[in-house]
Amino acid sequence: ICRHTLLLLRPSPTVCMLFLTSCRVSLSVIRLALPRNPTLVAKPVSPTLRASRLLVRFKSLSSVSTLFSMPERRPFVRLPTDVYPVNYGLRLKPDLIDFTFEGKLEAAVEVTQGTNQIVMNCADIDIITASFVPEGGDEINATGFNYQNEDEKVTLCFPSILQKGSGSLKIDFVGELNDKMKGFYRSKYMTPSGENRYAAVTQFEATDARRAFPCWDEPAIKATFDITLIVPKDRIALSNMNVFDRKPYPEDHSLVEVKYATTPIMSTYLVAFVIGEYDFVESQSSDGVTVRVYTPVGKAEQGKFALEVATKTLPFYKDYFSVPYPLPKIDLIAIADFAAGAMENWGLVTYRETALLIDPKNSCASSRQWVALVVGHELAHQWFGNLVTMEWWTHLWLNEGFASWIEYLCVDHCFPEYDIWTQFVSADYTRALDLDALDNSHPIEVDVGHPSEVDEIFDAISYSKGASVIRMLHNYIGDEDFRKGMNAYLLKFQHKNASTEDLWECLEQASGKPIAAVMNSWTKQMGFPIIVVDQEQHGSDRVLKISQKKFCASGPRNDENCPNWMVPISICTSEDPSCTKMKVLLDQPETTVNVTNIAPDHWIKINPGTVGFYRIQYSSAMLESLLPGIRDLTLLPVDRLGLQNDLFSLARAGMISTVEVLKVMEAFVNEPNYTVWSDLSCNLGVLSSLLSHTDFHEDIQEFIRNLFTPIGMKLGWDSKTGEGHLDALLRGLVLGKLGKAGHKGTLEEARRRFKEHVEGKQILPADLRSPVYLTVLKHGDSTTLDTMLKLHKQADMQEEKNRIERVLGAIPAPDLIQRVLNFALSEEVRPQDTVSVIGGVAGSSKQGRKAAWKFVKDNWEELHNRYQGGFLISRLIKLTVDGFAIDKMAAEVKSFFESHHAPAAERTVQQCCENILLNAAWLKRDAEDIHQYLLQRKAPPTI
């Protein structure tokens, strides 16, 4: 009665809060109780159904008290095994106006030992009736439903013992199509005529299938699924399998009943359904699989690139794994509101629009590359994750690390001109090294208990470090044995679950190498080594002294209990930089290696191809001999990149002077490679952000202008005949860097081209839009911002809206920065993109960083409620505070999150505080030396 009274009387939120606090009902429930959609009140529904729907709105995961004190981590127990599902017969009837759904579950189950209760996962769902029918017996109605909300479980209680054997569990239930981008949720889109409508879509990984139907929501509890959707007849309705029956719904002629073929045995987190309005393009892969790409209505053309990638990728994986794709079809669909980049649901892969749609005229080269990588990643999961699934979330890294590695293999196969493996080193490998050097990193393989802990490990360790160590393993084993082991693994565990150790065993048998021993040192312990190298010439031989110790972002440590790794080390020489001369497995703290037939004037390089997951510190003489290889390009691009990145990281850790790295950076003046420039640009961005805390910030901008001007002049503004994908990426990167740093000629030309673009005289090529938008905003005023917001409003394509959103924060005036932050939370920005607008403000300037942090604090409740503890909240925190470089800011950030809990982001907060302290130490240590060096560069030469 109390719950219903709240909805009928609609008191103020304050009254609600006081009332519900006494009832220990969460604040998120209050928001649900105050309807955002007028049709919730206007539409007549039966009293019984209304009561059960309203009840759904009052399911709470925690009490109000959790907002004010840190909840104790509850002991977690997995579901009992006395009853398990064999098949789910699932009927769902979503209401796209009322944002609710009705469901019927008829599950074939096995009772393995007598029990009078069945425990399942259930969250934000209300069960109306439940019963059990033993095979050949009479129906037994459940006498009660005991919800354990904190554990997202429900216990169905029965009046008598359910005997061992087969039976059928029947449940009627109702739920809400939420707006949290998880579970069964609503996604807002605009029709071509400009009308706002909603689709009903799913996102179940890691543990949100339980928000759509009561189930055994653990990856190891697999079953088959027979899904039926009752939907408006003018909507597209998709699920994992192909449609085998579609007929009018007898109770309402505006609806149809759509039945899908039985799925293979699979985990609940991979189930999916989508109901909405879409166009599609279709093709068949060479091995006979029907492939469709679903797009917003009127944008079918934008699905063609992804369709081409998908139809090439399926046969590539079939060949690579020697296992065919096991479903008759695969759909790839663009969802308007989507928290992740994409999700690998078996047979129905869901994507953000920007991860799937390519407009031939308005998409830039980097977007095409991103779509190719994401499609490659998700389709790899159809085998590695879907066909063979991790036993528990502890092994999540295996799913994600493997897919993050093989997506590059796939794109290299489809688009060799992308030079994608060099880009891997900049995009994944170095990113993982930076995070894993922190004291607050974590091992690749993390023991996960309660599923609420899973969100914490969807990070660069699971994905990028995972991918990097698999790349190292692939190199160590060799492609032939690696493929042989993968095939054995997939065949042995298909339609089952496996652990990391199972994969090592298959690869060990295929290669004859100690895979488990080597890999356990990389997956079970945190961090990585720094390899310290010195050399002596003995006649025609070179003797290398090689040692390892843990690399720490805070500098060298001499702990007695320093861990060791089993490190595959490769060595090349200047005689043939592309060929590995010898390999050793460093399994001790140090070793000596004799490299024969090396002339005294030849150099030696460790880790050619930058494959081994470690940093390198060369002796001064060895480093000196390598540096000319940067200027004359005899070192391979990936090794020029790796050398520079190692030195930059050593400088941040205080192991060498930052001035030494700036001198090395100047040697890149002749550099032609996009990825090398990209990594340089990133590191100079970090340094520029650091020096924004000083009064000589302009001097580092001049250094950047000097370094980038020659390549900028060489490239020019317009593409030339014969240029390719990487030239387009490089031009955009260089012009953006010069424009942001205030290069006069670049700024003038950017303003001229922007004016012509806005006036419709000469539309900017897609590859030039980001650098031009960034440049005019960085040096712009309120008129510039108004124009940019108008372009945003007019943009028909999400890629263009995102492009603008990411650079709005570059505007310099404090009042305009505040306007951008307010815009981030407006209806104009999709919920998942708010994070990149706020992050763009924080990353653009010192005042932007302060303003963004204040904005996040002031709007914390709304932001946290919007993302409900998912990984977007971690990303928001990292983007907002990582750039601070004052000790007291670390204390402020720590203090704020002690009183404003974000359980899914606890580790991120610790990492950010550590980074702030590291930045502060770096600034104190090197700022004056950097200043003197930059002044000295400007000084006229003495005669």
Side-chain angles (χ1 to χ4, degrees):
I1 293 170
C2 298
R3 291 167 170 175
H4 296 173
T5 304
L6 275 177
L7 268 120
L8 295 171
L9 299 181
R10 275 191 210 70
S12 72
T14 310
V15 174
C16 276
M17 181 176 147
L18 290 170
F19 176 80
L20 290 173
T21 301
S22 66
C23 299
R24 298 183 66 78
V25 178
S26 76
L27 286 175
S28 61
V29 173
I30 299 170
R31 290 189 200 93
L32 288 175
L34 302 172
R36 282 155 288 184
N37 182 355
T39 58
L40 282 172
V41 182
K43 185 170 181 185
V45 290
S46 73
T48 309
L49 185 55
R50 182 189 288 124
S52 39
R53 283 176 178 173
L54 297 185
L55 210 59
V56 172
R57 299 177 180 280
F58 291 92
K59 285 277 173 266
S60 70
L61 298 181
S62 60
S63 71
V64 169
S65 62
T66 61
L67 295 171
F68 308 111
S69 64
M70 192 64 184
E72 288 181 30
R73 185 156 277 185
R74 291 166 56 86
F76 173 69
V77 180
R78 284 166 69 168
L79 292 171
T81 56
D82 49 7
V83 181
Y84 69 88
V86 176
N87 171 270
Y88 290 87
L90 180 63
R91 288 169 63 88
L92 288 169
K93 183 174 170 245
D95 186 326
L96 297 174
I97 297 171
D98 206 11
F99 303 143
T100 58
F101 61 88
E102 298 168 31
K104 285 182 181 292
L105 175 67
E106 191 164 335
V109 300
E110 281 292 325
V111 180
T112 57
Q113 61 184 55
T115 178
N116 65 349
Q117 60 182 34
I118 296 176
V119 183
M120 306 170 74
N121 291 115
C122 179
D124 301 339
I125 277 175
D126 234 44
I127 294 172
I128 297 167
T129 62
S131 64
F132 180 79
V133 185
E135 194 169 43
D138 296 329
E139 187 166 9
I140 308 167
N141 289 313
T143 51
F145 320 128
N146 179 18
Y147 297 95
Q148 297 104 56
N149 290 328
E150 294 85 353
D151 288 335
E152 299 182 345
K153 291 176 184 174
V154 65
T155 301
L156 309 178
C157 304
F158 294 91
S160 57
I161 298 292
L162 310 181
Q163 298 301 325
K164 186 175 174 182
S166 303
S168 177
L169 176 66
K170 298 178 179 181
I171 302 177
D172 285 2
F173 58 94
V174 292
E176 183 194 24
L177 290 174
N178 69 68
D179 61 353
K180 307 299 179 205
M181 296 186 286
K182 64 181 185 178
F184 197 14
Y185 71 95
R186 60 187 187 262
S187 171
K188 187 177 177 182
Y189 63 95
M190 190 178 282
T191 65
S193 63
E195 180 190 347
N196 280 327
R197 288 193 191 156
Y198 290 87
V201 302
T202 57
Q203 170 59 38
F204 290 163
E205 191 180 25
T207 58
D208 290 314
R210 62 192 66 174
R211 295 177 199 284
F213 56 101
C215 57
W216 288 261
D217 200 12
E218 295 183 0
I221 307 178
K222 289 188 168 188
T224 58
F225 290 81
D226 286 295
I227 292 170
T228 301
L229 299 176
I230 297 156
V231 300
K233 63 183 179 184
D234 60 349
R235 297 294 195 266
I236 295 278
L238 303 171
S239 188
N240 305 82
M241 296 298 288
N242 51 297
V243 174
F244 81 84
D245 189 28
R246 180 185 171 102
K247 62 187 180 190
Y249 183 58
E251 294 172 35
D252 185 340
H253 293 302
S254 69
L255 304 177
V256 289
E257 191 174 295
V258 187
K259 291 185 178 179
Y260 301 88
T262 306
T263 69
I265 187 169
M266 60 190 278
S267 303
T268 48
Y269 80 92
L270 295 168
V271 174
F273 15 92
V274 175
I275 301 103
E277 295 172 284
Y278 301 95
D279 285 343
F280 66 86
V281 287
E282 179 180 331
S283 185
Q284 268 209 338
S285 66
S286 60
D287 45 351
V289 179
T290 300
V291 184
R292 283 184 176 180
V293 175
Y294 284 85
T295 74
V297 172
K299 296 184 177 179
E301 179 80 9
Q302 295 179 19
K304 286 184 175 175
F305 178 74
L307 184 67
E308 176 198 337
V309 176
T311 49
K312 282 183 182 174
T313 297
L314 286 173
F316 172 73
Y317 286 148
K318 177 190 174 185
D319 179 57
Y320 195 85
F321 297 131
S322 297
V323 175
Y325 173 72
L327 274 59
K329 63 94 179 176
I330 189 160
D331 298 324
L332 293 72
I333 186 165
I335 304 294
D337 296 309
F338 199 76
M343 175 60 205
E344 67 267 20
N345 317 298
W346 215 356
L348 176 56
V349 187
T350 45
Y351 294 79
R352 275 194 189 195
E353 289 185 5
T354 49
L356 190 68
L357 304 181
I358 292 295
D359 182 328
K361 290 178 184 167
N362 292 301
S363 288
C364 58
S366 61
S367 293
R368 294 170 72 84
Q369 182 175 296
W370 175 240
V371 167
L373 284 167
V374 179
V375 169
H377 180 103
E378 305 307 334
L379 295 193
H381 276 312
Q382 306 302 303
W383 285 263
F384 208 94
N386 300 8
L387 181 65
V388 177
T389 312
M390 70 224 150
E391 198 279 330
W392 185 247
W393 299 108
T394 296
H395 308 284
L396 170 77
W397 85 271
L398 198 58
N399 261 16
E400 297 303 346
F402 184 85
S404 298
W405 168 75
I406 206 169
E407 71 185 60
Y408 283 87
L409 196 72
C410 167
V411 169
D412 192 46
H413 166 77
C414 295
F415 304 100
E417 68 276 15
Y418 285 10
D419 183 29
I420 202 72
W421 278 116
T422 306
Q423 294 193 55
F424 173 89
V425 173
S426 181
D428 281 272
Y429 171 94
T430 58
R431 179 169 165 249
L433 286 171
D434 286 342
L435 182 55
D436 205 28
L438 299 178
D439 292 341
N440 287 295
S441 181
H442 64 84
I444 284 180
E445 207 167 318
V446 178
D447 279 333
V448 173
H450 198 286
S452 64
E453 298 165 29
V454 177
D455 277 334
E456 273 199 289
I457 55 172
F458 278 92
D459 65 0
I461 300 299
S462 295
Y463 283 72
S464 298
K465 183 181 178 182
S468 297
V469 299
I470 285 171
R471 175 172 170 255
M472 177 170 69
L473 172 65
H474 175 264
N475 184 263
Y476 172 62
I477 294 179
D479 190 61
E480 188 181 334
D481 286 345
F482 188 86
R483 289 172 70 161
K484 204 186 297 177
M486 289 303 310
N487 173 253
Y489 171 79
L490 289 171
L491 290 178
K492 183 176 180 180
F493 294 101
Q494 61 185 330
H495 304 297
K496 297 177 191 161
N497 297 78
S499 66
T500 304
E501 288 70 28
D502 294 320
L503 178 61
W504 296 163
E505 190 181 318
C506 291
L507 290 170
E508 205 159 283
Q509 286 172 358
S511 67
K513 292 183 174 176
I515 305 303
V518 171
M519 293 308 292
N520 285 345
S521 73
W522 296 96
T523 64
K524 293 189 183 297
Q525 61 185 16
M526 189 175 91
F528 59 89
I530 179 166
I531 303 299
V532 182
V533 194
D534 202 355
Q535 64 178 10
E536 286 179 11
Q537 187 76 22
H538 288 185
S540 62
D541 295 350
R542 192 82 52 91
V543 177
L544 302 179
K545 185 184 177 188
I546 301 174
S547 62
Q548 62 161 305
K549 58 186 176 184
K550 186 177 190 297
F551 179 77
C552 299
S554 53
R557 304 225 184 126
N558 295 313
D559 299 346
E560 284 187 15
N561 300 323
C562 190
N564 277 333
W565 285 262
M566 293 187 74
V567 192
I569 290 183
S570 304
I571 300 165
C572 75
T573 72
S574 50
E575 198 171 15
D576 187 353
S578 63
C579 180
T580 298
K581 189 173 177 75
M582 68 182 296
K583 291 184 177 186
V584 293
L585 184 65
L586 178 64
D587 56 0
Q588 299 295 323
E590 58 183 57
T591 191
T592 302
V593 176
N594 192 48
V595 188
T596 57
N597 300 319
I598 301 284
D601 59 343
H602 282 190
W603 50 254
I604 274 186
K605 167 86 177 61
I606 305 295
N607 202 18
T610 316
V611 174
F613 193 75
Y614 46 82
R615 297 280 186 200
I616 304 171
Q617 185 174 25
Y618 293 101
S619 65
S620 299
M622 287 187 81
L623 182 60
E624 207 62 41
S625 70
L626 284 167
L627 293 182
I630 292 174
R631 197 177 288 273
D632 64 20
L633 310 179
T634 50
L635 270 172
L636 296 179
V638 71
D639 290 321
R640 301 197 293 272
L641 186 163
L643 192 61
Q644 176 267 141
N645 200 284
D646 278 350
L647 290 171
F648 189 79
S649 193
L650 292 176
R652 189 177 186 234
M655 298 167 75
I656 60 171
S657 161
T658 307
V659 169
E660 295 307 308
V661 185
L662 289 171
K663 288 176 182 174
V664 169
M665 285 177 167
E666 291 185 286
F668 284 86
V669 70
N670 301 318
E671 181 58 56
N673 185 278
Y674 158 71
T675 313
V676 178
W677 275 114
S678 175
D679 203 66
L680 265 171
S681 169
C682 185
N683 287 340
L684 282 166
V686 170
L687 199 54
S688 175
S689 175
L690 184 77
L691 298 179
S692 69
H693 298 273
T694 70
D695 56 3
F696 60 90
H697 188 235
E698 174 50 34
D699 294 339
I700 193 69
Q701 303 311 306
E702 185 178 342
F703 180 90
I704 290 168
R705 292 194 295 269
N706 290 346
L707 186 60
F708 279 78
T709 295
I711 183 73
M713 298 290 285
K714 183 180 171 187
L715 287 166
W717 278 81
D718 299 306
S719 58
K720 302 168 185 68
T721 309
E723 283 189 350
H725 175 79
L726 293 168
D727 300 294
L729 292 178
L730 180 57
R731 180 174 287 106
L733 173 80
V734 171
L735 291 175
K737 202 71 178 175
L738 285 169
K740 190 176 181 184
H743 182 262
K744 193 163 178 285
T746 305
L747 174 56
E748 287 169 357
E749 184 64 9
R751 282 176 169 159
R752 184 187 73 75
R753 290 184 180 236
F754 182 66
K755 185 170 182 289
E756 290 194 341
H757 176 71
V758 171
E759 291 170 353
K761 291 179 183 173
Q762 184 69 48
I763 299 300
L764 279 165
D767 288 308
L768 290 183
R769 288 185 201 169
S770 280
V772 166
Y773 294 167
L774 174 66
T775 301
V776 296
L777 276 163
K778 183 69 180 172
H779 309 279
D781 54 20
S782 60
T783 307
T784 321
L785 181 58
D786 288 341
T787 306
M788 202 64 78
L789 291 173
K790 189 178 173 187
L791 284 179
H792 181 276
K793 197 172 185 67
Q794 291 169 345
D796 180 46
M797 195 183 174
Q798 197 58 31
E799 179 187 327
E800 176 74 352
K801 285 187 185 288
N802 285 175
R803 190 160 28 228
I804 294 167
E805 287 162 0
R806 280 194 295 267
V807 296
L808 284 174
I811 200 81
D815 59 323
L816 300 181
I817 286 171
Q818 197 56 47
R819 266 187 71 193
V820 172
L821 289 168
N822 293 335
F823 171 76
L825 275 178
S826 73
E827 288 285 318
E828 297 291 317
V829 178
R830 286 188 179 162
Q832 70 264 25
D833 299 321
T834 297
V835 172
S836 40
V837 181
I838 297 171
V841 171
S844 287
S845 63
K846 184 180 176 183
Q847 62 263 41
R849 196 156 40 244
K850 284 182 180 173
W853 172 230
K854 182 178 186 304
F855 185 80
V856 166
K857 287 189 292 181
D858 291 346
N859 294 278
W860 177 251
E861 189 183 329
E862 181 174 350
L863 289 162
H864 191 250
N865 180 57
R866 175 180 286 200
Y867 302 122
Q868 290 282 297
F871 61 86
L872 281 176
I873 208 79
S874 294
R875 192 170 299 169
L876 174 69
I877 294 166
K878 182 173 174 58
L879 289 171
T880 307
V881 305
D882 232 17
F884 284 115
I886 304 160
D887 287 352
K888 69 175 185 181
M889 281 308 305
E892 183 180 317
V893 170
K894 181 172 181 285
S895 171
F896 179 81
F897 287 108
E898 279 172 351
S899 57
H900 298 78
H901 301 306
E906 281 176 24
R907 187 179 275 114
T908 298
V909 171
Q910 292 163 354
Q911 290 166 348
C912 288
C913 291
E914 185 178 348
N915 269 325
I916 294 168
L917 295 173
L918 288 168
N919 288 340
W922 187 10
L923 201 58
K924 285 175 198 156
R925 189 175 59 241
D926 277 9
E928 188 50 37
D929 287 350
I930 295 169
H931 190 197
Q932 291 307 315
Y933 175 70
L934 295 174
L935 287 175
Q936 174 197 321
R937 285 181 78 257
K938 290 201 291 188
T942 51
I943 299 169

